[in-house]
Amino acid sequence: MVFNACETEPINETGNYETKSSTDFVRTYTDGSGQIEIIYIEKRYNSEDEGDPADFKKTTLVPDGYICIGGSVSIPGIGAFIYESYPSSGRNDAYKGWTIAAKYHGNNSPKIGFPVTISVIGLRLKDNDGKYIPESKLKEYMLIKRGYSSFAKFNRTSATLPNDYELIGGGANLDFLGFGEVSKNGALLKESYPSGNTWIASGGSYIFPAASKLSAFAIGIKKEIPNFGNIEKYVLNDFTGSCVNNSCSDTEAFPLVGPGGTFLGTCPGFKINPASEGWYANRLFTRTENNSRLDAQSLPINTTSRGSMDASLIVVRRRNQ
C-alpha cells in the first residue's frame, strides 16, 4: 500500500476548534491510511502586546482530543533570539501545549516590540475500527522524558526514551531561577535537535558571565499500540544552511511530507556550528504550505566568526502492516 497524505478542511469549520483571532491559521492533515491526523495551528503575536516588549513568552494549546508533539517559531532578523521551545509537561498540562520564548539579547536591548509567529502541531490517531482513540487513552501510550544540566555559563544535555518508545518530538528551555536580568539577557539556545531516540540541547550565556540551567525534552509514543499498529518515523537531518551577509539560513521543501506525500511533519530541530562562536537562532519554523516546508535562520552576536546551521524535521506515517 502507498500512503498518501491529504489535507482536510480547517478544523474550526467543523466546530471542533474555534480560532481566537483573525491571524490564526488552522489546518488538519492525514496520512494515506487516514489513521494518523495532525493539526497545524499558526498564530501571530507582537511581544509588546504580551507584556514585556523585549521578552516574549507564550504557551499555545492544541484542541481537545489532540496530543501536542511539536512547535516552531519565526522572528524577523532584528536582534531577537529563541531561548525556549518545549512541550508542556506538568501534572495538569502535559501533552496539551507548546511554549515559545524569545528576547532581545543584552542589557541595552531596545524596548520596542518584535513580531513573533508560532506554530504548534497536535496528533490524534484512529484505531483499526475507524474510531478516534480518546485523548485520555492516547496519553497512556505517550511519554515525555526530561534531561537536566547543572547551572553553568554554557550547558549541554539530552533526554533519551526507553527502547519501546519512538521519538516523535522534543524541545529545550533555559531556567534562570532568579539569577537576575544579567543571566536572563545573556542566555540563549544553541541546539535543540533529535538524534536516534534522544533529544539533544545546548545553550547558555555568550556575552554575559551568568549561569543558567538547561532542560531537554523527548516526546515519545509506544512503538506498538493495540488495535492500531505502530508509527514509522524518520528524521530528515542532512540540510545545512548557507551563510550570507551575516545570516545563516536553511529553507527546505520536503516532497514526502504533506498532501500528496507519504509522511507528516511533526517537530523541527536545529544545530548551530560551531557551538560556542556567537551564532544564535531566530527562526525554526514549519511553514503552512502543506505542512511540508522548514525554514531555519541564525544570526551572529558580537562576532566575526563564520557559522553554519543544520536543520532537521521528524516525519511520521502509519507503518504498512
Side-chain angles (χ1 to χ4, degrees), residues 83 103 105-106 151-156 174-176 181-190 202-214 275-280 301:
Y83 69 94
K103 59 185 174 61
H105 187 76
F151 279 98
K153 180 181 176 181
F154 188 84
N155 285 303
R156 184 179 176 87
L174 285 161
D175 193 345
F176 311 107
E181 287 301 312
V182 172
S183 176
K184 189 174 184 180
N185 285 334
L188 298 166
L189 285 180
K190 297 286 292 186
S202 70
S205 174
Y206 176 66
I207 298 175
F208 301 98
S212 59
K213 186 176 182 179
L214 178 69
S276 59
E277 292 297 323
W279 287 74
Y280 293 91
I301 301 176

Side-chain angles (χ1 to χ4, degrees), residues 275-292:
S276 59
E277 292 297 323
W279 287 74
Y280 293 91
N282 65 298
R283 183 183 303 144
L284 180 69
F285 196 64
T286 50
R287 305 301 302 180
T288 59
E289 298 93 340
N290 300 337
N291 183 239
S292 62

